[in-house]
Amino acid sequence: MQGSLIFAAMRCSPLYQPVFTLVIILAFASCERAFEGDLLENTSPETATSIDTIIRFGDDRLESEVTLHWWGDDPDGYITGYEFTFEPFPDDATIWIYTERQDSTFILAPEPGQDSADYVFYIRSIDNIGLRDPSPARLVIPVKNSPPSAQIVPGINNPVRSFPVVKFFWTGIDPDGAENLKEFHIYWNDTTGAPLVIDKSITSGVFQAQDPFAAEPVCDFYPNTSSVASGTISGMVSNAWNTLYIQAVDQSNAVSAFAVSDSVFIKPVHSDVLLVDGYSTTVNEAFYGNAMLNNGISVFDTIQIFQKTGAVYTQQSADNLTQERVFDLFDLIIWFSNDANNSFSLAQKTTDAFFTDGGKMFMSVYISSSFDPLSNFLDFTPIASLVNPVDTTLLLDLGAHLVPQEAGWPELEGSSIIGVVKPINVQIGAQPLYEAELTAKDNITLAFNPWTGNSIVIAKKFDAFGNTNFIVSTLEMHKMNAAMNTDAFFDKVIHDAFGF
């Protein structure tokens, strides 16, 4: 405040102007002398790690996955980044790796064939004018590799019996970190031969016989969900129990103990005809098998698609993609079942490749009152929807007739009373084959009268070339044989309609 007052007085009197000028000159001269001197050179930054020594021997060494921390200090600036290397003797040709982080996790796997190693880590800081620490922090890291492990993972289904198209799932675990895992080695039955070697990213695969008729087929391997084979493997044996063995291998070539699958009985393919038995027992297989034999098909294959042990299917494939490959092994499928929900659902999801490759299918599937009449499971069939009259149950009496809608097809006669019948509305482009003489039961008055509405129970559809490729019956054919002429019906289906 005093200086401000003096400065004001000097401005008011001309007498003091020379003195004021001198004061100003002296002040500037004094300021100039205060900034005189020599600039100091920039000081190099210093670098340190969270620990400067690791002393471990034998099995007490670190695992291969190691997390390191570091920092830097610059007395006349600030740190902008770091560079590190694992070269044991860095020189001018050393390539340093830049980072702005102050920590990182490294996989320091011993060399293949070795279970331990000493890694030398160097880290140097960089200051704001680009000067690097000339004496990097150094840390020797003793590591010991830990062997990985492998495990078979259960699928949606785990078949006990299968045609030579099977899928397995597995996983590998490495205590030194996921990045230290390298690959898997896979064997069929015999672990002394050459394995199928696959990348660690592959954790499932389909094994499909190149020749499904062979006694000891070579299998193509389809990794994960790929439709392209990535390798082949020998060792599968038909008509025998087979076991898959898997080993995990890490970056140091340490191998796990074998993961061993449950045994699966591999059935060879004998023909291009498959009977799909959708019943809980095999009691009806004889009827459909005899229909094949009586129409000149002496060799055919069978599968009990809904056979269970407990709550687990024993012959369905591990997933729908694999089941689709199984069905695509055949040219003609005869599917019979009293389980419409499961049959239509499974067939819709697993027969696309079969039909695309020119396959022909006949389904004789009983549709009960519990089946949803608007179910989208029917989209792939000749059925657009089901007839579902209000407060009315449709039934087929003993001796009622199934009347063909095309010339040359035999008239069929019911050999059993069918308590619930679901007629069908056909898809656009599909055609009716049979109508049934049905009886309508009024669920309110309990009166019985002939049904005069839509009574189509068998229909067919066509492929893109106009050929019949799918015939469906909502009645079980073994209950339509009172006239003993279902063999003639199958003759029309197999030979005339399908051209088989």
Side-chain angles (χ1 to χ4, degrees):
M1 187 68 180
Q2 184 178 2
S4 298
L5 291 174
I6 293 172
F7 180 68
M10 289 190 292
R11 289 181 59 196
C12 294
S13 173
L15 186 63
Y16 287 97
Q17 287 181 1
V19 177
F20 172 70
T21 302
L22 179 61
V23 171
I24 296 297
I25 293 172
L26 291 174
F28 274 109
S30 174
C31 290
E32 184 177 343
R33 283 196 298 272
F35 288 103
E36 288 180 354
D38 297 325
L39 291 173
L40 296 175
E41 292 186 2
N42 183 61
T43 303
S44 301
E46 290 291 333
T47 315
T49 55
S50 58
I51 52 175
D52 57 15
T53 305
I54 302 175
I55 301 176
R56 292 199 177 192
F57 302 99
D59 291 337
D60 193 39
R61 288 167 170 261
L62 298 175
E63 293 181 345
S64 297
E65 184 176 273
V66 178
T67 300
L68 301 178
H69 302 263
W70 55 83
W71 68 89
D73 180 61
D74 187 30
D76 53 10
Y78 55 90
I79 302 299
T80 60
Y82 302 88
E83 291 177 332
F84 66 85
T85 183
F86 283 96
E87 288 194 20
F89 304 103
D91 54 26
D92 292 341
T94 297
I95 298 175
W96 294 77
I97 300 171
Y98 178 79
T99 181
E100 295 180 0
R101 295 176 56 89
Q102 290 184 278
D103 59 61
S104 192
T105 299
F106 303 95
I107 301 297
L108 306 178
E111 291 295 320
Q114 304 295 320
D115 68 349
S116 61
D118 291 331
Y119 281 87
V120 183
F121 176 71
Y122 289 90
I123 182 78
R124 65 188 185 187
S125 51
I126 307 171
D127 70 10
N128 54 297
I129 67 169
L131 191 63
R132 288 160 171 77
D133 183 356
S135 56
R138 177 180 181 272
L139 182 64
V140 178
I141 308 166
V143 296
K144 179 177 178 63
N145 185 64
S146 300
S149 61
Q151 182 179 355
I152 301 291
V153 178
I156 298 172
N157 297 307
N158 300 283
V160 176
R161 301 175 65 86
S162 176
F163 292 108
V165 183
V166 289
K167 185 170 188 176
F168 289 93
F169 302 81
W170 56 84
T171 187
I173 300 173
D174 195 314
D176 297 317
E179 291 302 316
N180 195 43
L181 200 63
K182 182 172 70 172
E183 61 196 22
F184 294 100
H185 292 177
I186 301 179
Y187 306 79
W188 269 116
N189 297 311
D190 181 5
T191 61
T192 63
L196 170 65
V197 179
I198 60 173
D199 185 74
K200 67 179 180 181
S201 63
I202 301 170
T203 55
S204 66
V206 175
F207 302 85
Q208 180 166 347
Q210 293 178 347
D211 179 3
F213 297 86
E216 296 183 7
V218 174
C219 290
D220 288 323
F221 175 71
Y222 296 86
N224 296 332
T225 58
S226 176
S227 60
V228 179
S230 64
T232 61
I233 180 172
S234 301
M236 178 184 282
V237 181
S238 293
N239 269 328
W241 292 95
N242 288 252
T243 304
L244 196 74
Y245 295 86
I246 299 179
Q247 276 185 316
V249 183
D250 69 11
Q251 298 291 344
S252 297
N253 285 346
V255 298
S256 71
F258 284 108
V260 184
S261 74
D262 291 335
S263 294
V264 56
F265 189 86
I266 299 297
K267 305 188 300 180
V269 173
H270 297 101
S271 71
D272 50 8
V273 178
L274 177 66
L275 302 188
V276 179
D277 184 346
Y279 291 87
S280 57
T281 67
T282 60
V283 66
N284 296 303
E285 266 189 26
F287 172 84
Y288 295 92
N290 286 331
M292 299 300 103
L293 293 172
N294 295 336
N295 279 283
I297 300 176
S298 59
V299 180
F300 49 84
D301 291 278
T302 62
I303 182 172
Q304 286 184 266
I305 200 67
F306 300 130
Q307 184 189 70
K308 286 184 176 181
T309 296
V312 179
Y313 292 118
T314 60
Q315 295 194 41
Q316 276 191 43
S317 297
D319 59 14
N320 289 334
L321 290 174
T322 311
Q323 189 64 60
E324 184 173 22
R325 289 182 175 276
V326 169
F327 288 147
D328 197 29
L329 295 174
F330 302 92
D331 297 328
L332 173 62
I333 292 178
I334 307 296
W335 191 311
F336 44 97
S337 176
N338 60 350
D339 188 343
N341 283 293
N342 280 337
S343 288
F344 286 130
S345 173
L346 180 62
Q348 182 194 46
K349 298 170 185 174
T350 58
T351 58
D352 185 64
F354 168 79
F355 284 116
T356 298
D357 292 337
K360 309 295 178 65
M361 177 181 288
F362 171 72
M363 294 188 80
S364 174
V365 178
Y366 174 64
I367 301 178
S368 69
S369 58
S370 64
F371 188 84
D372 182 359
L374 300 178
S375 172
N376 60 10
F377 295 159
L378 302 173
D379 290 350
F380 79 112
T381 76
I383 304 172
S385 61
L386 300 174
V387 176
N388 197 40
V390 178
D391 295 328
T392 301
T393 299
L394 302 179
L395 56 92
L396 185 82
D397 280 333
L398 180 66
H401 292 88
L402 270 63
V403 181
Q405 302 300 293
E406 289 187 7
W409 288 75
E411 185 171 292
L412 302 175
E413 185 177 341
S415 54
S416 299
I417 296 175
I418 312 298
V420 176
V421 178
K422 295 289 187 179
I424 59 180
N425 298 306
V426 300
Q427 298 267 15
I428 295 175
Q431 291 182 5
L433 265 180
Y434 278 84
E435 289 185 348
E437 296 176 344
L438 300 177
T439 299
K441 173 187 174 183
D442 189 313
N443 295 329
I444 298 175
T445 66
L446 302 183
F448 291 84
N449 293 288
W451 171 249
T452 57
N454 180 359
S455 59
I456 299 168
V457 290
I458 302 178
K460 65 179 180 178
K461 67 181 295 188
F462 309 92
D463 62 21
F465 303 101
N467 302 310
T468 302
N469 70 339
F470 197 163
I471 297 176
V472 64
S473 170
T474 63
L475 297 175
E476 299 160 285
M477 296 310 301
H478 63 275
K479 296 181 179 181
M480 301 293 110
N481 199 28
M484 302 299 290
N485 63 346
T486 51
D487 282 348
F489 170 81
F490 279 103
D491 175 52
K492 293 292 292 184
V493 170
I494 297 168
H495 299 129
D496 290 359
F498 290 158
F500 198 80

